[in-house]
Amino acid sequence: LDLSTFFLGRPLAAPLMNASGVWCNVTNQLNALAKSEAGAMVTKSCTLVRRDGNPEPRYHTLSMGSINSMGLPNEGHLYYLDYAQQHDYENKPLFFSVAGLTLDDNLTMVAQIQDAYTPAMVEINLSCPNVPGKAQIGYDFEALDVILAEISSAYARPFGVKLPPYFDIAHFDEVAEILNRYDKVAFVTCINSIGNGLMIDINSETVLIKPKQGFGGIGGEYVLPTALANVNAFYRRCPEKSIIGCGGVSTGEHVFMHLLAGASIVQVGTALYEEGVDIFARLKIELARIMQQKGYQKIEEYQGKLKTI
Ligand SMILES: CC(C)(C)CCc1c(C(=O)O)[nH]c(=O)[nH]c1=O
């Protein structure tokens, strides 16, 4: 069975890749992704300069997913730019995740990426922090509009955005209206972790992670329905853009759901963290089996074709 597909004109061997932040901080992790069955890959969201991130424990596995408050640990944008320069783009596309601490940092980084003439595709992480006391950029719609206008004029090529989850139809409408005003926003990745969850260990009567009094982003099975809704909401509202699905994927069935909901590529985060890069081979087998049972030869036959009742 053929799992090949296309994304912004680039061929992919499979509609699968890592979620930014997982298995993509340092070169040996990135090399493992490059060698894996993933059809594409993305770097850890980077800042202008290297960051240690938050004190540990900062990630914890939960019964149905994970909680994390990593604090943007990364090697700094030039490290990933070096990686991008030596990446084999014939092997698979590379996405370059950017999460500047300020708008200026974001503009500086995309300017450097542009000057490097790298084929890597930029994914702007809109969960990046805003001015203290204000909501993350993805939840501050004025700031969202400003950052997209600024990056659109600073960066001459198509780029994408990684969105936090939304939970109100009015928010889907409002964010899509903003995104649709920027032709250069060629793709939308839904979703980032569900922010500021909390899990408790009843034996020690404590939280599970050290940063932020135990508050952290939730990933894994818990977020699948929210991820599918955000993928389908933006798929319906942004017909000119491609959607990358992320959230709650650990089986071929979950991949099939994201593709039906409108995703062109499906990212794997928590399950990749737990299982390692061999997960991509397993997901391909499971997806191929589902397609075979249903008589589908190509992804395009069912991609985005979710039926309502
Ligand atoms: C949450 C931020 C630290 C502002 C951005 C980086 C990030 C992190 C992180 O580095 O803590 N974790 C996530 O689940 N999603 C993210 O986008």
Side-chain angles (χ1 to χ4, degrees):
L1 262 177
D2 178 6
L3 295 182
S4 69
T5 183
F6 283 89
F7 185 80
L8 302 189
R10 291 169 170 81
L12 274 66
L16 295 167
M17 64 184 285
N18 66 301
S20 179
V22 184
W23 220 282
C24 57
N25 264 64
V26 291
T27 300
N28 59 18
Q29 293 175 324
L30 291 163
N31 288 339
L33 284 174
K35 285 206 290 278
S36 78
E37 303 259 322
M41 57 190 275
V42 61
T43 57
K44 165 67 183 175
S45 294
C46 64
T47 46
L48 206 56
V49 297
R50 186 186 179 285
R51 284 170 60 88
D52 287 335
N54 287 332
E56 296 178 336
R58 58 193 189 183
Y59 178 100
H60 204 283
T61 305
L62 306 177
S63 58
M64 288 172 52
S66 65
I67 186 166
N68 92 82
S69 186
M70 310 302 283
L72 254 180
N74 75 96
E75 298 302 316
H77 78 294
L78 295 177
Y79 179 97
Y80 302 104
L81 211 41
D82 286 348
Y83 182 85
Q85 300 289 54
Q86 58 75 57
H87 178 75
D88 172 9
Y89 291 88
E90 294 306 305
N91 170 27
K92 65 187 76 176
L94 174 70
F95 292 81
F96 195 113
S97 180
V98 172
L101 299 180
T102 66
L103 176 57
D104 269 358
D105 284 3
N106 276 313
L107 295 174
T108 301
M109 288 189 279
V110 298
Q112 300 247 20
I113 293 165
Q114 175 155 279
D115 293 348
Y117 291 101
T118 171
M121 290 177 278
V122 168
E123 182 184 81
I124 305 289
N125 182 345
L126 293 177
S127 291
C128 52
N130 199 347
V131 299
K134 296 202 73 174
Q136 60 168 288
I137 300 292
Y139 290 152
D140 177 341
F141 296 164
E142 275 175 33
L144 172 62
D145 201 353
V146 168
I147 195 170
L148 293 179
E150 293 284 341
I151 291 183
S152 293
S153 52
Y155 190 65
R157 293 162 44 203
F159 64 96
V161 292
K162 173 77 168 284
L163 294 179
Y166 299 97
F167 303 91
D168 190 305
I169 301 297
H171 291 166
F172 291 142
D173 293 338
E174 203 165 340
V175 172
E177 191 277 326
I178 296 170
L179 296 176
N180 286 333
R181 283 196 267 105
Y182 297 98
D183 298 347
K184 282 207 194 114
V185 176
F187 68 91
V188 180
T189 304
C190 299
I191 60 174
N192 205 323
S193 49
I194 294 181
N196 296 302
L198 177 65
M199 192 41 84
I200 291 171
D201 176 338
I202 60 168
N203 301 319
S204 57
E205 302 177 16
T206 66
V207 302
L208 298 177
I209 56 175
K210 186 173 182 139
K212 293 179 62 176
Q213 296 177 312
F215 284 56
I218 303 299
E221 201 86 36
Y222 297 114
V223 314
L224 181 63
T226 297
L228 293 173
N230 279 260
V231 164
N232 194 238
F234 287 99
Y235 179 73
R236 290 177 185 280
R237 289 169 174 77
C238 305
E240 308 297 315
K241 302 180 190 303
S242 295
I243 310 298
I244 297 180
C246 184
V249 174
S250 63
T251 68
E253 291 190 351
H254 302 150
V255 176
F256 189 81
M257 292 180 196
H258 268 275
L259 294 169
L260 259 187
S264 296
I265 308 178
V266 180
Q267 297 186 340
V268 188
T270 298
L272 169 61
Y273 187 103
E274 302 298 330
E275 189 168 329
V277 298
D278 292 348
I279 192 171
F280 295 113
R282 173 171 70 81
L283 293 175
K284 281 175 71 174
I285 290 166
E286 292 177 2
L287 177 62
R289 193 171 293 145
I290 293 165
M291 287 175 62
Q292 195 161 37
Q293 285 160 355
K294 289 168 170 287
Y296 290 127
Q297 300 302 319
K298 292 285 289 171
I299 288 165
E300 286 67 28
E301 293 170 46
Y302 61 91
Q303 198 248 346
K305 300 229 178 2
L306 174 65
K307 293 173 280 192
T308 54
I309 52 177

